Amino acid sequence: MEGPGQEAYEEGMRRSLDPEGYEDPGLKSSHLSLGEMSTVSVTDVDLEAAGSRRLLSQPDSHEGYVELHELVLDNAKDLCWMEAGHWLRLEEDFQESGDWSQPHLSFLTYHSLLEIRRALSKGAILLNTEANSLPAVVHILLDQLIYEGQMKPQDRDDVMRTLLLRHSHPTEDESVWTMPPALVQRSGTGRADVERPPLREQRPVEMSRMAGKEQSGVPKPQLLETIPEDAEATLVLVGCAAFLEQPVLAFVRLKDAVTLDGVLDVSIPVRFLAVVLGPDTPHISYHEIGRAIGTMMSERVFRRDAYLAEGRQELLRAVEDFLDASIVLPPSEAPSEPLLRALVPLQRELLRRRYQPLERLHIGDFLKDLGTAGSPAIRCARWDPLLGHGVPSWAPAVSPGKDEATAEDDDPLRRTGRPFGGLVRDIRRRYPKYLSDIKDALNPQCLAAVIFIYFAALSPAITFGGLLGEKTKGMMGVSELLISTCVQCVLFSLLSAQPLLVVGFSGPLLVFEEAFYSFCSSNGLEYIVGRVWIGFWLILLVLVVVACEGSFLVRYLSRYTQEIFSFLISLIFIFETFSKLVTIFKQHPLKREYNVQAEVQPGVPEPNTALLSLVLMAGTFFLAYFLRVFKNSSFLPGKVRRLIGDFGVPISIFIMALADFFINDTYTQKLSVPKGLQVTNATARGWFIHPMGDTTPFPIWMMFASVIPALLVFILIFLETQITTLIVSKPERKLVKGTGFHLDLLLIVAMGGLAALFGMPWLSATTVRTITHANALTIMSKTSAPGGKAQILEVKEQRISGLLVAVLIGVSILMEPILKYIPLAVLFGIFLYMGVTSLFGIQLFDRILLLLKPPKYHPDEPYVTRVKTWRMHLFTFTQIVFLVVLWVVKSTPASLALPFVLILTVPLRRFLLPRIFRDIELKCLDADDAVVTFDEAEGTDVYNEVQMPS
């Protein structure tokens, strides 16, 4: 039946909109299904310009906040809209107990999703609506509903009054649980509203209740503290109206987001409005339909599609894509938790497929559609599925005249085919940003990073310096290492392509120094002069490699090689610690009686020295390890425990050195530190090393033979520096100024070669310290969605923090009055700590432990679930065999050849293992799946991202 004013209203709308192909749909009887509305409607009417089909003026997407409001009767029996829940990536519902639930995943009914799919195909869709208030939006919306024949003109005023009712938010006394749902009646029929108790029976269907008893209610947090600044809201209104003959769904996207006073619980602009009204029926739960809309609008891919949609078909495709990525549980017996856990891999695969097209969304296609491919002002969203949020990562604007494809292909490891071509590209890529490298340092975060990284770099410098003095009998020690670190870090900070790299001494270089010192001692060669010739050859080697753009070889270093090397170094750290402790027990054995002298005499055992050394070593190790674990625990506020954990190593050294200081009656060997700028052993060498020999002429044959140890040192520096650069340059870190493998390698190796002339150690990029430096300069959003990860705002890529840290380390050479009180046993504890913690990020170590566990206790990892257990153990066995070979080489006079033997794992992995294992098995067992760590979770930190030792 058509109402008496239907013809006149339709004629007025026809004159104002003049749509093509308009037909009088009439009003059909309702079958009480949202999808079964009027079959003919005018779709995609752009009220700004009829028939317009252009892209949005602002096609960017924002973080989404959604509120669901339901129509209820308040305590005074007046109609009002009451907030039933909200979404910020995850859902929060107001519970019957009178408080807010914890953020949880939304569990939806499949029927509600189907109803939305059917309704969007027939409902009113308004895109780019120009309105600046809720009444204006409602006025335009009702005109459209009547125009499409989905509502009678005589019902316009009643629906408008309903949509403009006041909005309330739940309290302990008033909520959707204490207020009955309302059923709106047509005005003039007596009562304008009646209570609707039958649907109260449906309230337990709310899927949030299925989250389990773990969803204990907690007070509602301050929403503004968790909502990003650029967020835009979606308002979902659902309710029952008895005078409507069929359900009505309307979806509105405003051209510009508008702040609606008195509507939302937080003052943020609204971009989307979804309205679902219809007659009371037991077959439709409007509450569940509203929850389904809220969940879809909180999902970042669907929300992006809603922002970019130009018409109904795009929205329908977005709903279909959402359904394709959803999982439906059949109505079987309640599954156990292990059975539900089996859905996680399937969900990950569905998400991977859903996000994969977003990774291929290029700026060029979008600009081409606009016909403005050369414009620098237009940017397109580039989405990163590895981030746990929905905010787009913006590509830099394309400079006028620059070929965009060239920018996309600017791979720093791509060979140019010209001598030093990669080096030239590194300089051209990075040096034009030199001024911004200075300006970006004017930030308080950089000052905080300087203080933190200073201690993070000073502790290993002192530790390795003390151990280096022990290994080389004082030929190099703390003085040389601190000065070398200072000078090389200053030059690297000023000249490098990636100033976030922290240059320092590392475990592999210490192993080489010990092996080369033993070789020189056994052959009657001057160790310190031999290092000079190694330095000359290092400079020549790096020039050849950089000229040939050899940095591309880092692509062939798989996790297989990295883990073998890292595991070997960790074992050496641990072995050397206990070896030194055993030496102390041999020099100072436990006896009943001691011949105690007034002064400590060499070779004379001292009482309690061995036991105190054991206590200091173990105490330092356990204290440093405890503070590392404490950092990721749940005690104290996050900032406090992270501060304590980050400074765990210097705190441990200070506490145990202080304990030793107050024990006056027991002797312990202390760190040997010269006063001022003196060398560690002034009687054996000076600050300049004569290449032809200090005391005796250096053999000519050894000058040429030094190319072999030089090649081995180069391999170590190449491995650590290039792999560290790869890790810090991962796309997830959002570095924008680029990097330079060739330039950085040239600087580090050349500086090390020249440092040998002055008897100072060569250095390399250190992985853990570099990652820590990058994390300290990463600015994360202060607010994020509940349950989600904080998003990266920017990284302060600058040169000043590294420069200041280098200067502070150089000044530390004047701390001799303090450093001389540090016992060597304390440094052994730090050495043990570095060895043990380095094992945690190594998959090889995890697989070795699996050899001792029954299969039912194996973790749910791809290398376990997708590879047969015996074949996984076979892969582990090949690595163990190579570890044994490397350990044997290390323990023989041929220990200098250790890096060369290690490199043999590369052809082994590339040519032999593919003949034994299938490709899918190697992808699971040898994949670089280390997750970038910014805000550590319990039990994980930056060591879990590192396969290389530091």
Side-chain angles (χ1 to χ4, degrees):
M1 290 289 297
E2 295 187 359
Q6 180 80 5
E7 279 190 28
Y9 191 89
E10 289 175 355
E11 182 62 27
M13 292 297 291
R14 185 182 295 111
R15 286 195 302 268
S16 61
L17 294 177
D18 191 25
E20 296 181 4
Y22 175 80
E23 295 182 18
D24 184 358
L27 287 176
K28 300 183 179 181
S29 59
S30 172
H31 296 284
L32 297 180
S33 171
L34 279 172
E36 297 175 8
M37 296 186 285
S38 302
T39 57
V40 179
S41 63
V42 177
T43 62
D44 311 327
V45 176
D46 187 342
L47 295 178
E48 178 187 45
S52 174
R53 290 297 179 270
R54 62 178 181 82
L55 283 176
L56 301 179
S57 60
Q58 294 178 331
D60 55 320
S61 174
H62 298 260
E63 183 70 67
Y65 170 74
V66 185
E67 272 193 19
L68 170 63
H69 291 203
E70 297 186 28
L71 197 59
V72 297
L73 287 174
D74 62 13
N75 295 333
K77 299 301 179 182
D78 292 328
L79 284 168
C80 71
W81 294 102
M82 174 60 69
E83 180 186 356
H86 55 247
W87 285 257
L88 192 57
R89 293 190 66 243
L90 299 176
E91 180 178 6
E92 293 181 75
D93 300 303
F94 198 81
Q95 298 180 321
E96 192 172 7
S97 58
D99 49 15
W100 286 93
S101 70
Q102 294 179 349
H104 58 270
L105 291 175
S106 299
F107 298 89
L108 307 175
T109 60
Y110 190 59
H111 184 265
S112 64
L113 293 173
L114 291 181
E115 289 289 341
I116 294 173
R117 168 66 178 81
R118 287 194 292 264
L120 281 176
S121 64
K122 308 280 178 59
I125 307 296
L126 285 84
L127 304 178
N128 287 4
T129 300
E130 288 188 339
N132 55 13
S133 65
L134 184 59
V137 175
V138 171
H139 176 79
I140 296 173
L141 173 61
L142 295 181
D143 285 348
Q144 183 70 17
L145 288 173
I146 297 175
Y147 168 69
E148 294 187 8
Q150 298 184 30
M151 191 178 70
K152 296 179 179 180
Q154 58 266 35
D155 293 332
R156 188 182 196 279
D157 292 341
D158 291 326
V159 176
M160 175 172 285
R161 277 193 295 268
T162 301
L163 294 180
L164 296 181
L165 290 169
R166 66 180 176 88
H167 293 257
S168 301
H169 303 280
T171 63
E172 192 171 346
D173 299 324
E174 293 185 347
S175 69
V176 290
W177 293 98
T178 61
M179 297 179 175
L183 179 62
V184 182
Q185 302 289 340
R186 180 177 284 114
S187 58
T189 60
R191 294 190 57 186
D193 53 76
V194 296
E195 185 176 341
R196 187 165 55 93
L199 289 191
R200 177 62 64 187
E201 305 295 328
Q202 297 182 8
R203 182 69 67 181
V205 175
E206 182 178 325
M207 293 295 104
S208 65
R209 307 291 301 277
M210 297 175 62
K213 296 182 179 179
E214 300 90 28
Q215 300 288 354
S216 58
V218 294
K220 180 181 180 180
Q222 295 295 325
L223 279 178
L224 282 178
E225 296 180 3
T226 58
I227 298 177
E229 294 181 0
D230 66 339
E232 294 182 346
T234 300
L235 177 62
V236 182
L237 304 177
V238 296
C240 284
F243 55 83
L244 294 178
E245 297 184 4
Q246 60 184 3
V248 173
L249 181 142
F251 182 86
V252 181
R253 183 184 69 209
L254 300 178
K255 182 178 181 181
D256 298 302
V258 177
T259 300
L260 305 179
D261 296 331
V263 176
L264 299 181
D265 197 17
V266 289
S267 181
I268 61 174
V270 175
R271 177 63 72 100
F272 297 95
L273 173 67
V275 178
V276 180
L277 292 175
D280 186 14
T281 169
H283 303 298
I284 296 179
S285 171
Y286 295 105
H287 171 73
E288 286 305 315
I289 293 174
R291 286 188 63 253
I293 296 175
T295 302
M296 293 168 68
M297 290 302 300
S298 66
E299 198 267 327
R300 68 185 182 94
V301 180
F302 183 87
R303 187 171 63 254
R304 183 212 63 162
D305 293 340
Y307 271 100
L308 300 178
E310 293 187 83
R312 185 188 308 276
Q313 293 306 315
E314 284 89 342
L315 280 177
L316 290 177
R317 279 197 297 269
V319 175
E320 291 168 356
D321 292 341
F322 184 90
L323 292 174
D324 288 341
S326 302
I327 297 176
V328 178
L329 293 178
S332 57
E333 293 291 333
S336 62
E337 190 171 332
L339 292 178
L340 288 176
R341 198 178 296 119
L343 295 176
V344 174
L346 173 60
Q347 180 67 2
R348 286 176 179 167
E349 177 64 19
L350 291 175
L351 288 177
R352 186 188 66 81
R353 295 179 182 178
R354 181 165 173 77
Y355 294 148
Q356 202 170 33
L358 299 180
E359 294 176 304
R360 296 195 295 265
L361 185 61
H362 295 300
I363 182 173
D365 300 333
F366 186 63
L367 298 179
K368 190 181 298 182
D369 292 339
L370 288 175
T372 56
S375 172
I378 302 177
R379 297 180 294 177
C380 180
R382 181 177 66 245
W383 292 77
D384 191 345
L386 296 177
L387 298 178
H389 53 80
V391 175
S393 168
W394 292 102
V398 182
S399 302
K402 179 180 279 188
D403 186 2
E404 184 190 27
T406 303
E408 289 288 333
D409 295 337
D410 190 21
D411 180 4
L413 290 176
R414 182 174 58 86
R415 303 184 72 187
T416 64
R418 299 186 301 272
F420 295 100
L423 177 64
V424 173
R425 289 174 65 236
D426 289 346
I427 294 174
R428 288 178 176 175
R429 181 190 307 112
R430 198 62 172 86
Y431 279 11
K433 304 180 179 69
Y434 206 98
L435 184 59
S436 69
D437 289 340
I438 308 300
K439 293 180 179 178
D440 289 347
L442 303 177
N443 186 281
Q445 180 132 355
C446 295
L447 178 60
V450 168
I451 299 173
F452 171 46
I453 300 301
Y454 166 65
F455 286 102
L458 180 64
S459 299
I462 295 174
T463 302
F464 282 121
L467 296 173
L468 187 60
E470 285 285 305
K471 301 287 187 184
T472 63
K473 302 298 186 292
M475 298 302 293
M476 288 191 301
V478 176
S479 282
E480 291 81 3
L481 185 52
L482 288 178
I483 295 176
S484 179
T485 303
C486 171
V487 174
Q488 295 190 44
C489 284
V490 166
L491 294 175
F492 188 82
S493 298
L494 295 175
L495 303 175
S496 67
Q498 182 50 274
L500 296 187
L501 296 182
V502 177
V503 178
F505 202 70
S506 63
L509 294 176
L510 179 64
V511 172
F512 175 84
E513 295 287 4
E514 180 185 14
F516 186 65
Y517 181 82
S518 300
F519 171 80
C520 291
S521 299
S522 60
N523 289 276
L525 302 173
E526 285 189 89
Y527 159 74
I528 204 71
V529 178
R531 294 184 77 258
V532 174
W533 286 98
I534 291 178
F536 291 156
W537 283 110
L538 276 176
I539 296 175
L540 181 60
L541 285 173
V542 75
L543 288 174
V544 172
V545 170
V546 172
C548 300
E549 302 177 293
S551 291
F552 81 96
L553 293 172
V554 74
R555 297 185 188 274
Y556 299 104
L557 296 174
S558 68
R559 186 172 187 159
Y560 185 85
T561 299
Q562 296 175 36
E563 290 194 333
I564 291 176
F565 186 35
S566 182
F567 199 96
L568 175 68
I569 298 302
S570 297
L571 288 181
I572 292 175
F573 282 5
I574 297 170
F575 175 81
E576 288 293 331
T577 299
F578 289 102
S579 175
K580 292 296 181 184
L581 190 63
V582 169
T583 301
I584 294 177
F585 269 87
K586 288 181 178 179
Q587 294 175 349
H588 305 277
L590 302 180
K591 301 191 298 184
R592 182 181 295 274
E593 296 180 357
Y594 291 90
N595 183 19
V596 180
Q597 306 291 327
E599 296 290 336
V600 177
Q601 301 294 329
V604 178
E606 292 289 328
N608 300 323
T609 294
L611 290 178
L612 181 58
S613 298
L614 174 62
V615 170
L616 292 175
M617 184 208 74
T620 306
F621 167 74
F622 284 113
L623 186 56
Y625 186 79
F626 168 76
L627 292 177
R628 175 180 183 266
V629 174
F630 177 78
K631 173 185 177 181
N632 303 318
S633 68
S634 56
F635 296 99
L636 299 183
K639 292 183 178 179
V640 176
R641 67 172 183 265
R642 277 193 288 272
L643 180 66
I644 296 174
D646 288 338
F647 292 95
V649 170
I651 289 174
S652 304
I653 294 176
F654 174 77
I655 291 177
M656 300 312 296
L658 192 65
D660 176 79
F661 177 79
F662 285 110
I663 301 176
N664 297 319
D665 295 334
T666 302
Y667 163 78
T668 53
Q669 186 179 359
K670 301 298 191 296
L671 182 64
S672 176
V673 184
K675 294 182 180 180
L677 296 177
Q678 297 180 8
V679 295
T680 301
N681 188 353
T683 60
R685 50 157 292 190
W687 274 118
F688 180 77
I689 310 301
H690 197 289
M692 305 309 295
D694 280 343
T695 57
T696 59
F698 195 71
I700 296 179
W701 67 268
M702 188 58 192
M703 297 178 186
F704 294 95
S706 296
V707 66
I708 298 177
L711 179 61
L712 303 180
V713 175
F714 180 80
I715 291 173
L716 294 178
I717 298 177
F718 181 88
L719 285 174
E720 289 203 274
T721 300
Q722 303 297 54
I723 291 176
T724 300
T725 306
L726 276 178
I727 291 175
V728 81
S729 302
K730 285 185 176 180
E732 297 90 334
R733 294 193 171 274
K734 303 303 177 189
L735 302 182
V736 297
K737 294 185 179 180
T739 188
F741 288 85
H742 310 281
L743 177 58
D744 291 348
L745 180 67
L746 176 64
L747 285 174
I748 291 176
V749 178
M751 289 189 303
L754 293 176
L757 267 174
F758 304 96
M760 293 189 293
W762 32 63
L763 308 177
S764 70
T766 54
T767 312
V768 172
R769 279 163 266 174
T770 296
I771 293 175
T772 306
H773 188 204
N775 287 355
L777 294 171
T778 300
I779 298 179
M780 311 294 288
S781 60
K782 295 182 180 179
T783 58
S784 61
K789 296 180 181 179
Q791 43 189 329
I792 301 176
L793 297 180
E794 64 172 322
V795 180
K796 293 297 180 181
E797 299 178 67
Q798 39 71 49
R799 301 176 181 273
I800 303 302
S801 61
L803 181 66
L804 293 179
V805 169
V807 173
L808 290 175
I809 290 177
V811 174
S812 301
I813 191 65
L814 304 177
M815 295 172 55
E816 178 268 339
I818 300 175
L819 298 179
K820 66 181 182 180
Y821 289 108
I822 299 178
L824 283 181
V826 170
L827 301 184
F828 297 155
I830 298 300
F831 214 47
L832 178 63
Y833 167 80
M834 290 189 293
V836 172
T837 52
S838 294
L839 291 174
F840 293 142
I842 305 176
Q843 187 194 101
L844 171 61
F845 179 66
D846 298 333
R847 285 188 274 107
I848 290 176
L849 294 181
L850 293 183
L851 292 171
L852 308 176
K853 294 182 180 181
K856 65 178 180 179
Y857 296 114
H858 288 186
D860 186 17
E861 297 289 346
Y863 63 85
V864 174
T865 58
R866 304 188 67 178
V867 181
K868 292 182 179 179
T869 302
W870 72 271
R871 294 184 65 81
M872 176 186 68
H873 292 333
L874 178 62
F875 186 85
T876 306
F877 181 73
T878 64
Q879 291 180 292
I880 293 176
V881 169
F882 223 98
L883 268 175
V884 173
V885 172
L886 289 171
W887 187 269
V888 171
V889 172
K890 178 258 176 191
S891 305
T892 63
S895 57
L896 276 177
L898 186 67
F900 179 74
V901 178
L902 174 69
I903 289 299
L904 295 179
T905 60
V906 176
L908 172 72
R909 165 62 182 86
R910 288 186 59 82
F911 302 112
L912 180 58
L913 291 186
R915 298 177 180 272
I916 303 175
F917 298 93
R918 294 184 293 118
D919 184 58
I920 184 63
E921 293 175 328
L922 290 177
K923 286 182 178 178
C924 295
L925 291 165
D926 198 29
D928 181 15
D929 56 358
V931 178
V932 173
T933 304
F934 298 105
D935 191 13
E936 289 98 354
E938 184 170 355
T940 64
D941 57 18
V942 293
Y943 283 94
N944 294 78
E945 188 182 343
V946 178
Q947 284 103 46
M948 295 297 294
S950 282

